[in-house]
Amino acid sequence: MTSESDMNTIHKILLEMMNDLVDTFERNNVPYYLSGGCVLGALRHKGFIPWDDDIDIAVFKEDIPKLDKALSELDPRKYEYQKSLTGSYTRDYYYVSRIGTTYITDTARNRAQRISIEIHILHPVPDGKIALSIYHGLMKLFMWESRIGQSVDPKIGKWIVSLMRMQSVIMNLMEGRSSKTYYEPRNQFYKRDYLNKDVYGTPKVHEFEGMAYNCPEKAEEMLTKFYGDYMTLPPEEKRRPRSYKALSFDMDYYDYIQENRSNDG
């Protein structure tokens, strides 16, 4: 289990990453929102949920061109980012990782397991019940393919990505042109994640660890839908950080993997 000291260091690095992202977002006029548990943390704790170790961001699909430009301006000596469904990467979110760190929590092969920030894309759902039902079925298949692709050989992963891209084209064509309902993200899809676009609305700034970051305009409505009585803390046994297989703040993930391969040999 992650120690308090380690968690503090992880939080510090994540805040540095977030500030760099916000800087490039503002230069490129990228509307963004804190997402999921980060919104809960902002409203309930004015920062990180104490036992949480990540930051998630949401961006509307129509802002992807601006997002791509903003990410291309990140310092390549500090950051690496993976775009959704590229190479053998079977995730449908952007993955920004801090070079020089190692944070291995699972056996996934298709991403660099460093301290990272995920950028989820908000998609419009299809108009009409039948289209939405078909879309939902495709989404479940998409989700399972993503999970399988994380643990297989990268060569096989590339074939899975190709299949997922074809499905993505179909799903993109089905997305509602007049829809006011959006969801995120594709590879962790639940019906509860449908939200009216006006819930996001005009970003509303909330305090987060002494900084000020954008949250959905109707954050309280979002949190009530996702968590119910969101201001009540969970039971004590659930207030624990996830465990990790490897953690380093001064060794890069790829160096760690190479060193351990050499030791195994």
PDB file of all heavy atoms in Angstrom, residues 72-85:
ATOM      1  N   SER A  72       0.986  18.964 -28.106  1.00  0.00           N
ATOM      2  CA  SER A  72       2.234  18.972 -28.889  1.00  0.00           C
ATOM      3  C   SER A  72       3.216  20.017 -28.378  1.00  0.00           C
ATOM      4  O   SER A  72       4.408  19.966 -28.696  1.00  0.00           O
ATOM      5  CB  SER A  72       1.934  19.231 -30.369  1.00  0.00           C
ATOM      6  OG  SER A  72       1.558  20.593 -30.589  1.00  0.00           O
ATOM      7  N   GLU A  73       2.740  20.965 -27.580  1.00  0.00           N
ATOM      8  CA  GLU A  73       3.596  22.024 -27.050  1.00  0.00           C
ATOM      9  C   GLU A  73       4.172  21.699 -25.674  1.00  0.00           C
ATOM     10  O   GLU A  73       4.934  22.485 -25.119  1.00  0.00           O
ATOM     11  CB  GLU A  73       2.811  23.341 -26.986  1.00  0.00           C
ATOM     12  CG  GLU A  73       2.403  23.860 -28.359  1.00  0.00           C
ATOM     13  CD  GLU A  73       1.592  25.143 -28.297  1.00  0.00           C
ATOM     14  OE1 GLU A  73       1.395  25.665 -27.170  1.00  0.00           O
ATOM     15  OE2 GLU A  73       1.145  25.613 -29.351  1.00  0.00           O
ATOM     16  N   LEU A  74       3.819  20.537 -25.111  1.00  0.00           N
ATOM     17  CA  LEU A  74       4.405  20.134 -23.840  1.00  0.00           C
ATOM     18  C   LEU A  74       5.903  19.875 -23.997  1.00  0.00           C
ATOM     19  O   LEU A  74       6.362  19.435 -25.063  1.00  0.00           O
ATOM     20  CB  LEU A  74       3.725  18.869 -23.318  1.00  0.00           C
ATOM     21  CG  LEU A  74       2.293  19.010 -22.804  1.00  0.00           C
ATOM     22  CD1 LEU A  74       1.720  17.628 -22.504  1.00  0.00           C
ATOM     23  CD2 LEU A  74       2.240  19.883 -21.553  1.00  0.00           C
ATOM     24  N   ASP A  75       6.652  20.107 -22.956  1.00  0.00           N
ATOM     25  CA  ASP A  75       8.101  19.888 -22.968  1.00  0.00           C
ATOM     26  C   ASP A  75       8.375  18.390 -23.140  1.00  0.00           C
ATOM     27  O   ASP A  75       8.056  17.594 -22.242  1.00  0.00           O
ATOM     28  CB  ASP A  75       8.700  20.386 -21.656  1.00  0.00           C
ATOM     29  CG  ASP A  75      10.219  20.321 -21.630  1.00  0.00           C
ATOM     30  OD1 ASP A  75      10.809  19.649 -22.505  1.00  0.00           O
ATOM     31  OD2 ASP A  75      10.816  20.927 -20.718  1.00  0.00           O
ATOM     32  N   PRO A  76       8.974  17.973 -24.270  1.00  0.00           N
ATOM     33  CA  PRO A  76       9.213  16.541 -24.498  1.00  0.00           C
ATOM     34  C   PRO A  76      10.259  15.941 -23.577  1.00  0.00           C
ATOM     35  O   PRO A  76      10.395  14.721 -23.501  1.00  0.00           O
ATOM     36  CB  PRO A  76       9.667  16.497 -25.967  1.00  0.00           C
ATOM     37  CG  PRO A  76      10.263  17.844 -26.213  1.00  0.00           C
ATOM     38  CD  PRO A  76       9.443  18.800 -25.394  1.00  0.00           C
ATOM     39  N   ARG A  77      10.999  16.779 -22.863  1.00  0.00           N
ATOM     40  CA  ARG A  77      11.959  16.261 -21.882  1.00  0.00           C
ATOM     41  C   ARG A  77      11.250  15.849 -20.594  1.00  0.00           C
ATOM     42  O   ARG A  77      11.801  15.063 -19.815  1.00  0.00           O
ATOM     43  CB  ARG A  77      13.009  17.327 -21.564  1.00  0.00           C
ATOM     44  CG  ARG A  77      13.883  17.728 -22.751  1.00  0.00           C
ATOM     45  CD  ARG A  77      14.654  18.985 -22.453  1.00  0.00           C
ATOM     46  NE  ARG A  77      13.752  20.129 -22.201  1.00  0.00           N
ATOM     47  CZ  ARG A  77      14.172  21.361 -21.905  1.00  0.00           C
ATOM     48  NH1 ARG A  77      15.465  21.615 -21.803  1.00  0.00           N
ATOM     49  NH2 ARG A  77      13.285  22.332 -21.701  1.00  0.00           N
ATOM     50  N   LYS A  78      10.039  16.359 -20.392  1.00  0.00           N
ATOM     51  CA  LYS A  78       9.290  16.071 -19.164  1.00  0.00           C
ATOM     52  C   LYS A  78       8.106  15.133 -19.404  1.00  0.00           C
ATOM     53  O   LYS A  78       7.754  14.352 -18.522  1.00  0.00           O
ATOM     54  CB  LYS A  78       8.765  17.368 -18.549  1.00  0.00           C
ATOM     55  CG  LYS A  78       9.838  18.302 -18.021  1.00  0.00           C
ATOM     56  CD  LYS A  78       9.236  19.614 -17.526  1.00  0.00           C
ATOM     57  CE  LYS A  78       8.298  19.435 -16.350  1.00  0.00           C
ATOM     58  NZ  LYS A  78       7.780  20.732 -15.845  1.00  0.00           N
ATOM     59  N   TYR A  79       7.521  15.247 -20.600  1.00  0.00           N
ATOM     60  CA  TYR A  79       6.255  14.552 -20.812  1.00  0.00           C
ATOM     61  C   TYR A  79       6.228  13.715 -22.084  1.00  0.00           C
ATOM     62  O   TYR A  79       6.836  14.072 -23.099  1.00  0.00           O
ATOM     63  CB  TYR A  79       5.102  15.565 -20.884  1.00  0.00           C
ATOM     64  CG  TYR A  79       4.954  16.372 -19.637  1.00  0.00           C
ATOM     65  CD1 TYR A  79       5.205  17.747 -19.636  1.00  0.00           C
ATOM     66  CD2 TYR A  79       4.574  15.781 -18.431  1.00  0.00           C
ATOM     67  CE1 TYR A  79       5.080  18.496 -18.481  1.00  0.00           C
ATOM     68  CE2 TYR A  79       4.456  16.520 -17.270  1.00  0.00           C
ATOM     69  CZ  TYR A  79       4.713  17.876 -17.302  1.00  0.00           C
ATOM     70  OH  TYR A  79       4.593  18.606 -16.153  1.00  0.00           O
ATOM     71  N   GLU A  80       5.492  12.632 -21.976  1.00  0.00           N
ATOM     72  CA  GLU A  80       5.153  11.813 -23.136  1.00  0.00           C
ATOM     73  C   GLU A  80       3.641  11.642 -23.107  1.00  0.00           C
ATOM     74  O   GLU A  80       3.052  11.490 -22.027  1.00  0.00           O
ATOM     75  CB  GLU A  80       5.837  10.447 -23.053  1.00  0.00           C
ATOM     76  CG  GLU A  80       5.517   9.528 -24.223  1.00  0.00           C
ATOM     77  CD  GLU A  80       6.271   8.202 -24.111  1.00  0.00           C
ATOM     78  OE1 GLU A  80       5.760   7.298 -23.420  1.00  0.00           O
ATOM     79  OE2 GLU A  80       7.362   8.097 -24.697  1.00  0.00           O
ATOM     80  N   TYR A  81       3.012  11.715 -24.267  1.00  0.00           N
ATOM     81  CA  TYR A  81       1.570  11.494 -24.274  1.00  0.00           C
ATOM     82  C   TYR A  81       1.193  10.507 -25.366  1.00  0.00           C
ATOM     83  O   TYR A  81       1.844  10.421 -26.410  1.00  0.00           O
ATOM     84  CB  TYR A  81       0.795  12.812 -24.425  1.00  0.00           C
ATOM     85  CG  TYR A  81       0.927  13.500 -25.766  1.00  0.00           C
ATOM     86  CD1 TYR A  81      -0.005  13.283 -26.784  1.00  0.00           C
ATOM     87  CD2 TYR A  81       1.957  14.408 -26.006  1.00  0.00           C
ATOM     88  CE1 TYR A  81       0.106  13.930 -27.996  1.00  0.00           C
ATOM     89  CE2 TYR A  81       2.075  15.052 -27.221  1.00  0.00           C
ATOM     90  CZ  TYR A  81       1.146  14.830 -28.212  1.00  0.00           C
ATOM     91  OH  TYR A  81       1.259  15.469 -29.422  1.00  0.00           O
ATOM     92  N   GLN A  82       0.184   9.728 -25.091  1.00  0.00           N
ATOM     93  CA  GLN A  82      -0.342   8.753 -26.024  1.00  0.00           C
ATOM     94  C   GLN A  82      -1.757   9.157 -26.399  1.00  0.00           C
ATOM     95  O   GLN A  82      -2.596   9.398 -25.540  1.00  0.00           O
ATOM     96  CB  GLN A  82      -0.346   7.353 -25.387  1.00  0.00           C
ATOM     97  CG  GLN A  82       1.055   6.797 -25.170  1.00  0.00           C
ATOM     98  CD  GLN A  82       1.026   5.490 -24.401  1.00  0.00           C
ATOM     99  OE1 GLN A  82       1.019   5.497 -23.179  1.00  0.00           O
ATOM    100  NE2 GLN A  82       1.009   4.370 -25.104  1.00  0.00           N
ATOM    101  N   LYS A  83      -1.997   9.241 -27.715  1.00  0.00           N
ATOM    102  CA  LYS A  83      -3.332   9.554 -28.204  1.00  0.00           C
ATOM    103  C   LYS A  83      -4.158   8.274 -28.230  1.00  0.00           C
ATOM    104  O   LYS A  83      -3.629   7.166 -28.327  1.00  0.00           O
ATOM    105  CB  LYS A  83      -3.249  10.155 -29.605  1.00  0.00           C
ATOM    106  CG  LYS A  83      -2.512  11.478 -29.653  1.00  0.00           C
ATOM    107  CD  LYS A  83      -2.319  11.986 -31.065  1.00  0.00           C
ATOM    108  CE  LYS A  83      -3.628  12.295 -31.750  1.00  0.00           C
ATOM    109  NZ  LYS A  83      -3.427  12.955 -33.046  1.00  0.00           N
ATOM    110  N   SER A  84      -5.446   8.423 -28.148  1.00  0.00           N
ATOM    111  CA  SER A  84      -6.316   7.251 -28.114  1.00  0.00           C
ATOM    112  C   SER A  84      -6.182   6.425 -29.391  1.00  0.00           C
ATOM    113  O   SER A  84      -6.033   6.955 -30.495  1.00  0.00           O
ATOM    114  CB  SER A  84      -7.776   7.688 -27.944  1.00  0.00           C
ATOM    115  OG  SER A  84      -8.178   8.523 -29.011  1.00  0.00           O
ATOM    116  N   LEU A  85      -6.208   5.103 -29.204  1.00  0.00           N
ATOM    117  CA  LEU A  85      -6.192   4.127 -30.302  1.00  0.00           C
ATOM    118  C   LEU A  85      -5.058   4.378 -31.290  1.00  0.00           C
ATOM    119  O   LEU A  85      -5.258   4.481 -32.502  1.00  0.00           O
ATOM    120  CB  LEU A  85      -7.542   4.124 -31.024  1.00  0.00           C
ATOM    121  CG  LEU A  85      -8.758   3.757 -30.183  1.00  0.00           C
ATOM    122  CD1 LEU A  85     -10.008   3.723 -31.035  1.00  0.00           C
ATOM    123  CD2 LEU A  85      -8.565   2.435 -29.467  1.00  0.00           C
TER     124      LEU A  85
END
